[in-house]
Amino acid sequence: MNTIAENIAIFLKEYAPFNYLSHDELVEVSNSIGVIMLEKNKTLFKIEDKLHESFYVVASGVIHLSFIADAEETMLNKCYAGDVFGLRPFFAKNNYMMTAKAREDSIVYAIPIKIFKPFVSQNPNVLDFLLESFASNTRNSFDKEKRGNLITDTIYSDQTSGEIQYFQSLSYNKTPLKIASKAVVKDVAQLMTDNLSNSVIVIEENFPIGIVTDTDFRSKIANGRFPLISTVDKIMSSPVVTVSENVSVAEAQLMLLKHSVSHLCVTVDGSDKSDVKGVISEHDLVVAQSNNPGVLVREIKRALTPKELKQVREKLTDLIQSSIAKNIPLAHIYNISGEIISAINKRAIELAILDLGSPPARFAWLSIGSQGRKEQLLLTDQDSILIFEDVAADKYRDVKDYFIKLSKRVTTILEKVGFLYCPNGHMASNMTWCKSLTDWVKQYNNWMKTPGEITDEMSSIFFDYEIVFGENKIEDALTEVIFNNVKNNNLFFDYLGNDTLRKNPPLNFFKKFNLEEEGENKGKFDIKTKAIMPLIDGARLLILSMQIKGVNNTYLRFKQLAMADPKYSEIYLSCAEAFQVLSKYRTLEGLKNDSTGQFINIDELTKIDREKIKAALVPMKELEELIKDRFQLTQFS
């Protein structure tokens, strides 16, 4: 027995993705592993080096990964024992795009890709791990508490982390070159050159029977094996590997590895007995991996301008669109989108602070409304408040002036990113919504003890908030004030309950949609105001009345209510489902027309879609009856 290989196998078993392999499989891999001793400051590979035939695992020591940005070498990450790096040869053919250098005397294991590939193609967990690692370059070792987690792990629950590759959009060539099997090689080469294409599909009756790539020309024509006057059926790779149109990044990568090919043919049903719809190349997968949510968060952290943040927001829109197309549960999409939008807001605040200088007091920036509920998928307006800690009276004016300036810079940055200014002025840049903790306590006390008074009229969105930046203790203090005020506060719930039920019904007496009667949206259905908002308002009202803290998302609020109030669990669960259905239709409308999705042209929907929306409106009546019964609404009726 090779004791060195045995020891390496035992070491690797402690770390992902090797923990997915059996001991015998690890010993088999370990027998082929090279052990590299790197002295301090010694480079293993550098930017633009040709790719190695191995990838690497740190056995001991520290390896620094760096890249060039703005003509300067920037540290990207640190790799410690058990960290995997140098994965580019697995997923791309171009040269290294970073430098790996020993920070101290280190030992690195070199694992031959040829030996490890079969275990990847047989084990989806190994593939998922390597894809995530490659997409986020390496592990997030800046955060010592979470070292050993991938960057992407920080924005995924356990429920969604395994699905990362299914959230990513996969753009590919949907107008591939097609030729007959008896086409002459010379003519095909010219066709590919004229169209700047590196592949061509060989078809019979529009069914794919083979593929010819640049590699075939280099390996079969350039070396003289076949003359230029040959027909392409002599040099094509056959049969061609086919996949369906809705293939995910993970599935496509798995097929490339499994069959050791560089291109996949997309067909209508995924077989070679249906029409050709496109070609996926290795390059397409590399591009797709740049839309990995973890990578987007890292791009946000490095962004120095609103333009860079806007580019990430545009990638997020692509990610949302492809996720919906793949039927990813909307709750998961909300979670991912919410974290990325929150990261954009946080970076906008950081850039404003870099510009203005350090804050004169501690503070908390809270997103309110849809963003506070993590329900912002479309480019809707921005809603925020700023709370700064109490300061001495003689400093108050200067401190508030700083935070107003800060807020104006932040909201300007976010407007450039694409988040519109709130038409109602519910933004931290409005001096009414930027004030000290004591002033905010007075504000909420007034709203909740004397609701309905005109001064600083209350909007219910102020009860949906999430901290984006600053002191958690300040947010906690605000939450404490709200939940102290809800106890036995019939007047407040009377006001909130009537506000919830004040919306016009979505359907008329004849079960037809209540459409807009005038204005630019005449004849359209206001799905936001008439269908979605009553569910949002109802969930908020009930969650506050039951004093359930820390649940802001409407879908999760209904789920929580079903557990806390089992007598009506069926109604709550129906409302949760209805919220998902209606939100999906609004999102699809917004993505289609690059709008907020508020107004839907009912005539453009299929009969099935119209019936699905109507079915989602049914639980609203039950919710309305429950609210009327529970709160005995009177004063504000």
Side-chain angles (χ1 to χ4, degrees), residues 161-179:
S161 60
E163 296 164 349
I164 179 168
Q165 297 304 315
Y166 298 85
F167 276 82
Q168 293 169 219
S169 56
L170 178 50
S171 298
Y172 54 87
N173 178 9
K174 292 183 171 64
T175 55
L177 297 178
K178 304 176 200 172
I179 54 159

Side-chain angles (χ1 to χ4, degrees), residues 26-184:
L26 282 174
V27 171
E28 184 184 334
V29 170
S30 300
N31 273 311
S32 304
I33 283 176
V35 180
I36 300 171
M37 318 285 284
L38 286 177
E39 293 177 2
K40 184 178 179 180
N41 295 326
K42 184 82 185 285
T43 298
L44 181 60
F45 57 78
K46 60 182 187 297
I47 296 164
E48 290 304 335
D49 274 1
K50 287 191 173 171
L51 299 181
H52 298 179
E53 292 180 355
S54 299
F55 70 102
Y56 301 100
V57 181
V58 181
S60 65
V62 184
I63 304 294
H64 275 196
L65 302 179
S66 59
F67 70 106
I68 303 291
D70 302 324
E72 283 185 19
E73 194 163 9
T74 303
M75 227 270 287
L76 178 67
N77 234 322
K78 299 177 185 177
C79 295
Y80 297 84
D83 284 343
V84 175
F85 68 99
L87 287 166
R88 181 158 286 273
F90 254 117
F91 305 114
K93 293 286 184 274
N94 50 333
N95 296 343
Y96 284 113
M97 296 180 72
M98 65 178 74
T99 295
K101 184 189 284 187
R103 181 69 185 84
E104 57 188 55
D105 289 348
S106 304
I107 298 173
V108 171
Y109 293 146
I111 304 178
I113 287 169
K114 196 173 180 181
I115 300 294
F116 199 70
K117 247 185 183 179
F119 299 108
V120 178
S121 59
Q122 293 158 18
N123 194 322
N125 288 326
V126 175
L127 174 66
D128 280 349
F129 182 91
L130 295 181
L131 279 167
E132 289 183 26
S133 294
F134 177 61
S136 53
N137 283 323
T138 185
R139 302 177 180 230
N140 179 12
S141 45
F142 291 123
D143 184 348
K144 288 184 180 173
E145 284 180 20
K146 292 177 182 170
R147 207 174 77 217
N149 290 339
L150 294 167
I151 290 173
T152 47
D153 287 345
T154 60
I155 62 165
Y156 280 92
S157 66
D158 291 340
Q159 194 176 11
T160 59
S161 60
E163 296 164 349
I164 179 168
Q165 297 304 315
Y166 298 85
F167 276 82
Q168 293 169 219
S169 56
L170 178 50
S171 298
Y172 54 87
N173 178 9
K174 292 183 171 64
T175 55
L177 297 178
K178 304 176 200 172
I179 54 159
S181 60
K182 294 305 175 186
V184 176

Side-chain angles (χ1 to χ4, degrees), residues 323-437:
S323 301
I324 288 175
K326 289 181 182 16
N327 285 317
I328 303 293
L330 206 64
H332 294 187
I333 304 173
Y334 272 138
N335 186 32
I336 301 306
S337 175
E339 292 295 346
I340 291 173
I341 291 171
S342 187
I344 289 172
N345 278 260
K346 184 179 180 186
R347 188 58 181 156
I349 298 164
E350 289 170 349
L351 293 177
I353 290 173
L354 283 170
D355 208 14
L356 269 184
S358 298
R362 286 175 292 189
F363 73 103
W365 181 289
L366 306 186
S367 286
I368 59 173
S370 62
Q371 198 185 314
R373 295 189 302 271
K374 279 200 168 74
E375 292 168 3
Q376 193 176 46
L377 295 183
L378 300 163
L379 273 171
T380 50
D381 58 340
Q382 44 178 305
D383 299 288
S384 57
I385 64 174
L386 189 145
I387 310 168
F388 55 86
E389 67 180 342
D390 293 322
V391 294
D394 59 333
K395 291 182 180 175
Y396 184 92
R397 182 187 287 269
D398 288 342
V399 169
K400 180 158 181 168
D401 281 350
Y402 170 90
F403 285 116
I404 291 285
K405 281 181 191 167
L406 177 76
S407 302
K408 283 183 175 171
R409 292 193 187 216
V410 174
T411 53
T412 301
I413 289 171
L414 292 174
E415 195 270 337
K416 287 177 180 174
V417 171
F419 296 101
L420 303 173
Y421 291 124
C422 174
N424 299 315
H426 294 148
M427 298 183 294
S429 52
N430 179 339
M431 62 190 304
T432 308
W433 312 127
C434 174
K435 50 196 172 191
S436 70
L437 180 58

Side-chain angles (χ1 to χ4, degrees), residues 177 179-180 183-193 200 212 217 232:
L177 297 178
I179 54 159
V184 176
V185 166
K186 184 180 177 184
D187 297 336
V188 174
Q190 190 61 53
L191 179 70
M192 289 169 67
T193 303
V200 59
V212 177
F217 282 101
V232 289

